[in-house]
Amino acid sequence: MGQCVRAAVALCLVTGLAYPLATTVVANWVFPHQAKGSLITKNGQVIGSSLIGQNFTQAGYFQGRPSVTSAPDPKDPAATIAAPYNAALAAASNQGVTSRTLDSVVAERALAYRTLNGLGAQDRVPVDAVTASASGLDPHISVTNARLQIERVAKARGLNDAQVSALVERHITPRDLWLLGEPRVNVLALNLALDDNERDNKNKE
């Protein structure tokens, strides 16, 4: 009995205290920015994380991947309401390829995307523009998705397409280790760059 207790205590100390403490210390030493949440600040204030998407809806901003996360309904604690990119309740729709509901939602999103970005009925829509990620928090969009939004964003901000296109190209993140994943664009970082560019242009006038 005594040996079992000592073993349990030792295991708790190693796995519950020593290991988490060691990984925390190493992470803060080797990857301090990532260990603290990859936070993005502006004028000294935290405005988000590069790891979590935000819900941009205005025409002058690039829009992220759909998110189906929810939050408790303040009017009815037993119900939920849509809350895109709610990091406190990351989730997917869990609808499979045979789901008629998913087919209908994707069709609606594709129509809305074409209408918003001035595309024709036969123009292909990037899959990340009409489907949510498994977490609902994806901060990135595909390069194709970003490029298809350039004309709309440029028009809304009174810029030419080349200016916005240059910003997009500068914010393309390549494959990890030149092999894993696909090239992508962080939506929050790109939209912040747009705001900075617009402010700089106004200061020059």
Side-chain angles (χ1 to χ4, degrees):
M1 183 67 178
Q3 290 181 339
C4 292
V5 173
R6 287 194 296 270
V9 172
L11 186 63
C12 288
L13 290 175
V14 172
T15 62
L17 182 62
Y19 177 73
L21 182 61
T23 55
T24 300
V25 170
V26 172
N28 277 278
W29 176 48
V30 181
F31 305 108
H33 178 65
Q34 294 87 336
K36 295 178 181 177
S38 298
L39 300 179
I40 296 177
T41 60
K42 186 174 183 180
N43 298 325
Q45 292 186 330
V46 176
I47 58 173
S49 167
S50 62
L51 303 177
I52 300 175
Q54 295 189 19
N55 192 32
F56 293 96
T57 58
Q58 294 177 296
Y61 288 101
F62 285 85
Q63 297 183 0
R65 190 171 184 176
S67 172
V68 295
T69 56
S70 60
D73 187 341
K75 298 180 180 179
D76 182 4
T80 59
I81 57 174
Y85 304 103
N86 179 16
L89 196 60
S93 67
N94 291 324
Q95 295 169 343
V97 294
T98 60
S99 170
R100 293 183 178 180
T101 301
L102 180 61
D103 286 343
S104 176
V105 169
V106 167
E108 290 176 3
R109 289 171 178 165
L111 176 60
Y113 186 89
R114 290 190 177 99
T115 301
L116 181 65
N117 295 293
L119 304 180
Q122 302 304 316
D123 290 329
R124 299 186 65 178
V125 175
V127 67
D128 64 294
V130 295
T131 58
S133 65
S135 67
L137 307 178
D138 197 339
H140 299 96
I141 55 176
S142 65
V143 176
T144 299
N145 190 349
R147 287 172 176 165
L148 286 173
Q149 298 185 55
I150 288 174
E151 184 177 347
R152 185 244 312 158
V153 172
K155 182 178 180 180
R157 287 180 175 262
L159 302 173
N160 60 59
D161 291 0
Q163 289 175 290
V164 180
S165 179
L167 282 175
V168 169
E169 298 304 311
R170 287 203 297 269
H171 283 80
I172 294 177
T173 301
R175 291 182 173 90
D176 296 328
L177 301 177
W178 303 280
L179 179 65
L180 304 176
E182 293 294 331
R184 56 204 181 275
V185 177
N186 187 288
V187 178
L188 177 57
L190 177 57
N191 284 334
L192 287 175
L194 274 169
D195 287 343
D196 289 341
N197 180 74
E198 184 172 347
R199 184 175 61 252
D200 291 342
N201 289 339
K202 288 182 179 180
N203 290 336
K204 292 177 181 178
E205 292 178 356

